Amino acid sequence: MWIVLIGPPGAGKGTQAELLLEYLGVPHLSTGDMLRTAVKSQSSAGLMADEYMSKGQLVPDPIILQMVGERLERPDCAKGVLFDGFPRTLGQAQSLDATLEGRGTPLQVALELRVPDEVCLARMKDRKRPDDRNDVIARRLEDFHRRTQPLVDYYRRRGMLESVDGLGTTHEVFTRIRAALDRRRADSASP
Ligand code: AMP
């Protein structure tokens, strides 16, 4: 299955992605994880990305698209991918659609995890990531609303959107996600 996970920082995307991977049996493509690895290895893309990430800003589309494009070439991405934290801009979404359509494996579902800002802020304050400093957290949420939220409408118009309430226990949220995906699969299987 080809699926993107959309939600504000602190919405629990990473936790739900882990459960989903087991359920769907597809690889996990988290641009945040890939960037953190690149930063650690001090590769040229990593050094460039770090300048943006440490300020809570989005890394420019060309760096992200190059990284994702290379990852999609690997054989484990033949049958599906769970995209997590990508796409985050309309440009990234359009580019992903063009790439996947060109391969004959179009995106099937955009799964939106809905969580209010105040809950995301509280959750991010509990994490210990270097980009979870107070000043940076607010910036990342603001960027989400300004640049990533428009993707919800983009996918809704294309008939790909599933919105799920992200409040509750991990298990409760996962049960909702699974129900939404099962419904999608049943719909796409029916004539
Ligand atoms: P995440 O782990 O998904 O919250 O990403 C951590 C940080 O990496 C973000 O705050 C951005 O600076 C950067 N990042 C991750 N994915 C993307 C993306 N698709 N586009 C631009 N920047 C990204």
Side-chain angles (χ1 to χ4, degrees):
M1 196 168 205
W2 294 89
I3 166 165
V4 303
L5 200 51
I6 303 176
K13 293 192 301 292
T15 308
Q16 294 300 330
E18 267 173 45
L19 296 171
L20 262 175
L21 294 175
E22 225 175 282
Y23 184 62
L24 297 172
V26 294
H28 182 204
L29 196 157
S30 155
T31 43
D33 284 351
M34 290 165 84
L35 288 167
R36 279 184 285 277
T37 304
V39 170
K40 259 197 212 136
S41 74
Q42 304 226 311
S43 66
S44 59
L47 292 174
M48 232 183 314
D50 194 28
E51 284 186 33
Y52 295 90
M53 292 170 77
S54 60
K55 293 186 215 141
Q57 294 173 0
L58 291 185
V59 174
D61 285 358
I63 300 178
I64 300 290
L65 293 173
Q66 161 102 20
M67 194 174 75
V68 171
E70 283 170 14
R71 179 68 185 85
L72 283 176
E73 295 294 312
R74 304 238 297 261
D76 63 329
C77 296
K79 298 229 170 83
V81 167
L82 174 66
F83 295 96
D84 167 11
F86 172 86
R88 257 178 159 101
T89 64
L90 216 44
Q92 291 179 14
Q94 286 162 342
S95 168
L96 178 65
D97 272 340
T99 303
L100 293 184
E101 274 159 25
R103 290 162 52 119
T105 55
L107 193 67
Q108 289 161 290
V109 186
L111 190 76
E112 178 200 16
L113 213 50
R114 274 186 288 108
V115 176
D117 281 5
E118 55 276 16
V119 177
C120 294
L121 283 167
R123 285 187 188 164
M124 277 192 281
K125 282 179 186 161
D126 280 346
R127 302 195 301 203
K128 292 283 171 281
R129 250 172 46 185
D131 58 343
D132 279 343
R133 297 191 323 268
N134 279 353
D135 51 332
V136 170
I137 285 175
R139 171 72 205 247
R140 288 168 55 209
L141 258 181
E142 186 193 309
D143 258 5
F144 172 78
H145 289 301
R146 195 165 51 88
R147 302 189 63 187
T148 308
Q149 203 136 40
L151 300 190
V152 170
D153 278 336
Y154 172 82
Y155 287 121
R156 186 182 289 119
R157 280 198 304 272
R158 297 173 70 92
M160 290 179 192
L161 186 72
E162 286 289 342
S163 282
V164 168
D165 176 3
L167 287 182
T169 64
T170 300
H171 180 72
E172 281 164 351
V173 177
F174 184 62
T175 303
R176 287 178 207 135
I177 291 179
R178 211 173 38 197
L181 294 183
D182 288 349
R183 215 170 38 235
R184 277 270 149 183
R185 284 208 265 214
D187 284 352
S188 61
S190 59

